[in-house]
Amino acid sequence: MDIDSVYQYLGFQAQTNDSGTSRDNLWLYGVGTFVVLWTLGWLYRDSLEVENIKEKYVFVTGCDSGFGNLLCKRLDRRGFRVIAGCLTEKGADDLKRATGPYLKTVLLDVTSTASIQKAMEYTKQEVGDNGLWGIVNNAGRSLPMGPSEWMRLEDYTSTLKVNMMGVIEMTLTFLPLIKQAQGRIVNVASVLGRVAANGGGYCISKFAVESFSDCLRRDIHYFGIKVCIIEPGFFKTAVTSLDPIERELHRLWNQLTPEVKASYGDKYLDKYIQIQRLIMNASCDSDLSKVTNCMEHALVSSYPRTRYSAGWDAKFGWIPLSYMPSCVIDIGLKLVMPRPAKSV
């Protein structure tokens, strides 16, 4: 049987001597079939979930409000044994009233070694021989945020202590319990850990979370532990609330020397605040479940993803932008941000 007979059997016209159309069509059909089958296989694999959820323990930090609070409620409804780290007693009490009897709370300050150690000892007693299936390092802060020259060293360290050192210390302290269960480490980074769009400690800390998570994943995968990174876009939480942002910008401005203020000009602060208002009002999504869905998938999926981009602005804006040449991002920010009075 010659090749033309094969084409005719498959429904193609016989190839002519002066054209490769039939072979091209067969190649396209083959590629299309492969893509469809691969997509279906990926979706099926992505939908597989672990068993015995009601026997698995998960520790979540930063549960007073926002993503952590919502995640604890969702995991509690799924049947997980949740241990929620709250910064305040009020946050812990409110969460306990909104959830079932299997959710436990513990007061936790991720900047305090003693507090972290105490939380780990409590968790160790709770989980027993089961080990800790998952830890979600969600606790974080964003302020102060603004032009780099306006910052003092303590403005950087106050954010880095929570967002960077807190994540590292929590992970290393709880790691033996996670190894025991061959579980999951879920670290909350940000799209601003891919694109450094403003000064202060926030972007620096989120870049650090990205690199720490990558190094950790490559180091401990031999033990059956999965490390996942959540990269939310802009959402309406306490982190993006305008009032605290504006208060911090005024504080930073007031601590500048007269010479530095003069270099920016009297109207710079007002313009900067106006732009922050515009960005937050236009881009912040109120649907926090887009983030907690990703966190939940990282904990329940048999094959969790390495990275989760949460929010449409993350998927179609920030993440693609992070692959652009630096000059593209530089030009974009120049067009958006106000120009100092004494700029060159």
Side-chain angles (χ1 to χ4, degrees):
M1 180 181 291
D2 60 19
I3 190 64
D4 288 339
S5 299
V6 173
Y7 286 135
Q8 290 175 359
Y9 178 76
L10 293 174
F12 297 112
Q13 293 181 351
Q15 180 184 353
T16 61
N17 293 331
D18 59 349
S19 172
T21 303
S22 297
R23 285 193 174 90
D24 290 344
N25 287 341
L26 183 61
W27 169 252
L28 290 175
Y29 272 90
V31 171
T33 302
F34 172 79
V35 170
V36 170
L37 291 176
W38 184 90
T39 302
L40 292 174
W42 184 88
L43 290 172
Y44 172 73
R45 186 175 185 267
D46 195 57
S47 68
L48 297 176
E49 295 186 353
V50 297
E51 299 177 347
N52 302 320
I53 282 178
K54 293 184 178 181
E55 299 176 7
K56 297 186 184 301
Y57 289 81
V58 176
F59 193 105
V60 185
T61 70
C63 300
D64 297 71
S65 62
F67 302 136
N69 187 276
L70 179 59
L71 177 65
C72 286
K73 295 173 182 176
R74 291 174 64 100
L75 295 180
D76 181 62
R77 287 195 295 269
R78 287 291 299 262
F80 278 101
R81 303 298 182 96
V82 181
I83 304 173
C86 298
L87 183 62
T88 66
E89 290 186 3
K90 182 181 183 303
D93 291 340
D94 291 345
L95 182 57
K96 279 191 288 189
R97 282 195 294 269
T99 53
Y102 294 115
L103 182 139
K104 309 294 183 182
T105 61
V106 58
L107 293 180
L108 174 65
D109 178 0
V110 298
T111 66
S112 167
T113 298
S115 180
I116 292 174
Q117 191 65 34
K118 186 176 179 181
M120 189 277 290
E121 293 296 339
Y122 175 82
T123 303
K124 188 176 181 180
Q125 291 181 351
E126 284 289 319
V127 304
D129 295 334
N130 291 312
L132 183 64
W133 172 252
I135 183 169
V136 181
N137 285 308
N138 167 74
R141 61 175 292 170
S142 62
L143 302 177
M145 207 183 269
S148 298
E149 188 180 13
W150 297 13
M151 304 288 164
R152 294 179 179 175
L153 183 60
E154 55 267 28
D155 293 322
Y156 284 99
T157 55
S158 63
T159 302
L160 296 175
K161 276 183 179 180
V162 178
N163 296 1
M164 183 180 73
M165 297 309 300
V167 169
I168 294 172
E169 188 170 3
M170 282 293 299
T171 301
L172 297 181
T173 302
F174 282 78
L175 188 55
L177 298 179
I178 298 168
K179 285 178 72 175
Q180 188 178 345
Q182 296 183 348
R184 309 285 169 82
I185 297 170
V186 182
N187 291 331
V188 181
S190 169
V191 292
L192 296 184
R194 302 285 290 269
V195 178
N198 49 45
Y202 187 78
C203 289
I204 297 170
S205 67
K206 294 306 182 179
F207 269 86
V209 169
E210 294 270 355
S211 58
F212 170 68
S213 302
D214 283 337
C215 293
L216 183 68
R217 183 182 68 255
R218 291 157 186 158
D219 289 339
I220 65 175
H221 75 276
Y222 302 102
F223 303 107
I225 300 172
K226 305 291 196 303
V227 181
C228 306
I229 304 170
I230 312 295
E231 298 172 331
F234 282 33
F235 287 86
K236 289 183 179 179
T237 66
V239 169
T240 56
S241 178
L242 281 170
D243 288 342
I245 291 174
E246 293 180 19
R247 281 198 302 270
E248 281 296 297
L249 286 171
H250 279 287
R251 181 186 68 82
L252 294 171
W253 177 261
N254 291 334
Q255 74 183 14
L256 298 177
T257 64
E259 292 78 13
V260 175
K261 285 183 178 180
S263 69
Y264 284 90
D266 295 335
K267 297 180 179 180
Y268 187 88
L269 176 61
D270 291 336
K271 291 179 181 178
Y272 195 94
I273 290 176
Q274 288 174 4
I275 290 171
Q276 294 301 312
R277 288 174 182 168
L278 178 64
I279 292 172
M280 295 303 176
N281 289 329
S283 61
C284 285
D285 192 337
S286 60
D287 183 9
L288 304 188
S289 66
K290 290 176 181 174
V291 179
T292 56
N293 286 342
C294 296
M295 296 174 173
E296 187 177 343
H297 186 274
L299 293 168
V300 304
S301 175
S302 298
Y303 302 97
R305 307 169 202 169
T306 300
R307 280 178 165 80
Y308 293 83
S309 301
W312 297 116
D313 62 325
K315 287 179 171 62
F316 298 107
W318 294 102
I319 299 303
L321 187 63
S322 70
Y323 293 102
M324 295 287 185
S326 296
C327 63
V328 174
I329 301 172
D330 293 347
I331 292 171
L333 290 175
K334 282 181 181 180
L335 295 174
V336 172
M337 302 307 294
R339 191 179 182 89
K342 295 186 178 180
S343 58
V344 179

